[in-house]
Amino acid sequence: MVAAQKTKKTHESINNRLALVMKSGKYTLGYKTVLKTLRSSKGKLIIIANNCPPLRKSEIEYYAMLCKVGVHHYNGNNVDLGTACGKYFRVCCLSIIDPGDSDIIKSMPSDH
């Protein structure tokens, strides 16, 4: 019971931080642009939906490992991630270039 409540609370806080990034920061949505930001080493944090195809996910994780960028695996699917970003379409992965007023990069534990 407590664990379920805690995961819901962290899920909500991630959504709130993500909404703040969408308002005040710089970001790119989508697989191709995420790879571009990783190649140019502009990305600070990568967020991947849980139903992202395994090959795509592993490629993004590999690029992120080379660039020493944190990767966060989002709890929801790509529809939930799109909704959390305030968009009306699905978002498989997103790259945060500039967090703006949000503390999302400090609050996310990097998977390295």
Side-chain angles (χ1 to χ4, degrees):
M1 170 78 183
V2 176
Q5 190 177 8
K6 186 174 171 129
T7 56
K8 188 178 179 191
K9 192 164 190 159
T10 55
H11 191 66
E12 285 174 4
S13 71
I14 290 166
N15 285 354
N16 292 342
R17 289 187 174 114
L18 206 50
L20 195 56
V21 169
M22 295 300 138
K23 256 185 208 164
S24 64
K26 287 189 176 177
Y27 60 94
T28 61
L29 302 174
Y31 172 67
K32 284 183 180 177
T33 56
V34 164
L35 290 185
K36 280 180 190 171
T37 57
L38 283 173
R39 272 192 234 111
S40 61
S41 65
K42 288 180 182 170
K44 304 267 192 308
L45 177 73
I46 310 297
I47 300 177
I48 305 174
N50 68 359
N51 65 343
C52 184
L55 183 67
R56 185 176 284 193
K57 188 184 291 187
S58 64
E59 189 176 0
I60 292 169
E61 286 170 349
Y62 177 68
Y63 271 89
M65 185 249 334
L66 290 176
C67 304
K68 299 180 179 74
V69 174
V71 175
H72 176 72
H73 297 280
Y74 189 73
N75 267 347
N77 60 10
N78 53 5
V79 178
D80 297 336
L81 186 57
T83 307
C85 294
K87 307 295 180 197
Y88 294 110
F89 48 82
R90 297 169 294 195
V91 174
C92 172
C93 49
L94 70 101
S95 168
I96 295 172
I97 298 167
D98 173 36
D101 300 332
S102 178
D103 61 341
I104 193 164
I105 291 170
K106 294 180 200 108
S107 66
M108 295 288 160
S110 62
D111 292 355
H112 295 38

